[in-house]
Amino acid sequence: MARVYNFSAGPSMLPEEVLKKAAAEMLDYEGSGQSVMEMSHRSKVYDSIIKGAEQLLRELMNIPDNYKVLFLQGGASTQFAAIPLNFMNKNGKADFVITGQWAKKAYQEAQKYGECKAVASSADKTFSYIPKLDKNEFTKDADYFYICMNNTIYGTVYHELPDTGDVPLIADISSCFLSEPIDVSKFAMVYGGAQKNVAPAGLTICIIREDMLGNARDITPTMLNYQIMADNDSLYNTPPCYTIYICKLVLEWLKEMGGLEAIKERNVKKAKILYDFLDNSKMFKGTVVAEDRSLMNVPFVTDSEELNAKFIKEATEAGFVNLKGHRSVGGMRASIYNAMPVEGVEKLVEFMAEFEKANS
Ligand SMILES: *Cc1c(COP(=O)(O)O)cnc(C)c1O
């Protein structure tokens, strides 16, 4: 069996230990005589899986007791509508920072439900930086202030959160979920699709401060109403059972590794290997300003389209897959989420150095 180094932005690689455990438990989960795929979501055995996953997530992220944890479906993209339906309900206004495609999509979707203001944007330089924010631009009576914390496509991340005062801060953390500790209490809500760093596709985790709930618009579809999902402990209807189970295994793996401080240390080490190489290469260069670089997604280019294509082709043949950049940036992107071992990044950098030598 030959496993590749998978640099996909999502769905992305999972820890090998998790895949092995899932394989071992496939036919008979803990003596139940069934796969987790087959069991009732109302069964006692499944209840311990979903409750266990929530407990582990609370512990790892240090989630305060006055926050609900919801295991939902529909991806991060569904929350682009659910967030305004649930929260843009007092003054009908919200502020957005446009740092890339995902922030822009959230902004455009929310415009269907109220008055949305883009308080800053980095579109002028292909989203290669996090824009400086001018508080005078903020809407004083906005119902919330929205950011995309880690910009998967462009490889930028907020190192400092916007100071929104009393206005609730909401962040899409899809591509930096569990990559390092965050202070949940600074947010009214954080959420993300699980397929980047937490689980396979099909699960969306929303962490919401309780006082935000209960004000959804009357037209809000039942399935998008966070209060209803919270009242039913994410079991209003059938949840993505198997994905939640894998999520629990990933959380156990993280805990075993020493939690988010430990994984952050490993992620910093991995990113440094790649950024140091890019900063010293004459052929490859990173596309993001140094101070806003993501630990998770690293876009880079050469100065020729032909060379980019040749690199991607040869890298794929050598077992480094999914390195093609998003079409809006071009070039390459290495997504180095939690599950990517240090060795994967070291080997990639070795391969890049050899390629540079052979082609210059
Ligand atoms: C992938 C991604 C999304 C879209 O997620 P879906 O689950 O496919 O809807 C949204 N935001 C960010 C930051 C992402 O990386």
Side-chain angles (χ1 to χ4, degrees), residues 109-266:
E109 187 74 6
Q111 281 171 356
K112 294 180 182 171
Y113 304 102
E115 213 178 296
C116 298
K117 182 175 179 188
V119 297
S121 166
S122 48
D124 61 333
K125 291 182 182 157
T126 327
F127 303 113
S128 57
Y129 67 103
I130 298 289
K132 293 278 170 284
L133 301 179
D134 175 2
K135 269 167 111 171
N136 295 319
E137 290 293 317
F138 296 7
T139 306
K140 301 278 174 300
D141 58 346
D143 291 328
Y144 60 87
F145 189 105
Y146 184 99
I147 60 169
C148 181
M149 186 99 149
N150 184 79
N151 295 281
T152 325
I153 295 172
Y154 306 94
T156 60
V157 70
Y158 284 81
H159 290 298
E160 200 181 316
L161 293 176
D163 176 8
T164 62
D166 292 336
V167 174
L169 180 62
I170 295 180
D172 175 355
I173 58 167
S174 294
S175 51
C176 57
F177 225 128
L178 296 167
S179 63
E180 59 182 314
I182 62 167
D183 183 353
V184 174
S185 73
K186 294 219 153 66
F187 301 88
M189 169 178 180
V190 291
Y191 77 98
Q195 71 273 22
K196 309 285 160 66
N197 217 7
V198 189
L203 169 66
T204 313
I205 300 176
C206 296
I207 301 167
I208 307 173
R209 205 174 61 219
E210 278 168 3
D211 68 288
M212 296 292 289
L213 296 171
N215 301 303
R217 296 184 185 195
D218 294 342
I219 60 155
T220 305
T222 303
M223 284 298 296
L224 299 191
N225 189 316
Y226 294 136
Q227 174 82 68
I228 292 172
M229 296 301 131
D231 288 347
N232 288 279
D233 295 327
S234 305
L235 289 162
Y236 173 81
N237 72 327
T238 320
C241 299
Y242 195 77
T243 308
I244 292 169
Y245 156 70
I246 301 286
C247 170
K248 178 167 179 270
L249 297 186
V250 170
L251 296 170
E252 284 166 357
W253 174 80
L254 272 170
K255 186 174 170 178
E256 191 109 319
M257 283 202 45
L260 299 194
E261 285 294 349
I263 199 77
K264 178 184 183 178
E265 202 174 298
R266 193 170 95 141

Side-chain angles (χ1 to χ4, degrees), residues 65-120:
D65 289 343
N66 63 327
Y67 284 68
K68 294 286 187 193
V69 172
L70 306 180
F71 294 115
L72 306 177
Q73 306 196 50
S77 302
T78 296
Q79 314 318 312
F80 297 168
I83 289 166
L85 281 164
N86 281 273
F87 305 134
M88 206 197 273
N89 46 23
K90 290 190 188 103
N91 300 316
K93 298 177 194 172
D95 282 349
F96 293 76
V97 183
I98 312 299
T99 49
Q101 181 178 295
W102 297 119
K104 193 169 158 196
K105 283 191 168 163
Y107 168 62
Q108 286 170 339
E109 187 74 6
Q111 281 171 356
K112 294 180 182 171
Y113 304 102
E115 213 178 296
C116 298
K117 182 175 179 188
V119 297

Side-chain angles (χ1 to χ4, degrees), residues 12-27:
S12 36
M13 59 183 299
L14 288 162
E16 211 163 283
E17 295 89 328
V18 165
L19 297 176
K20 283 184 176 147
K21 178 133 201 245
E25 293 180 334
M26 181 59 78
L27 296 184

Side-chain angles (χ1 to χ4, degrees), residues 267-281:
N267 288 333
V268 167
K269 182 174 172 191
K270 284 182 324 198
K272 186 173 183 328
I273 294 168
L274 189 46
Y275 285 124
D276 281 352
F277 175 80
L278 292 170
D279 289 343
N280 289 302
S281 166

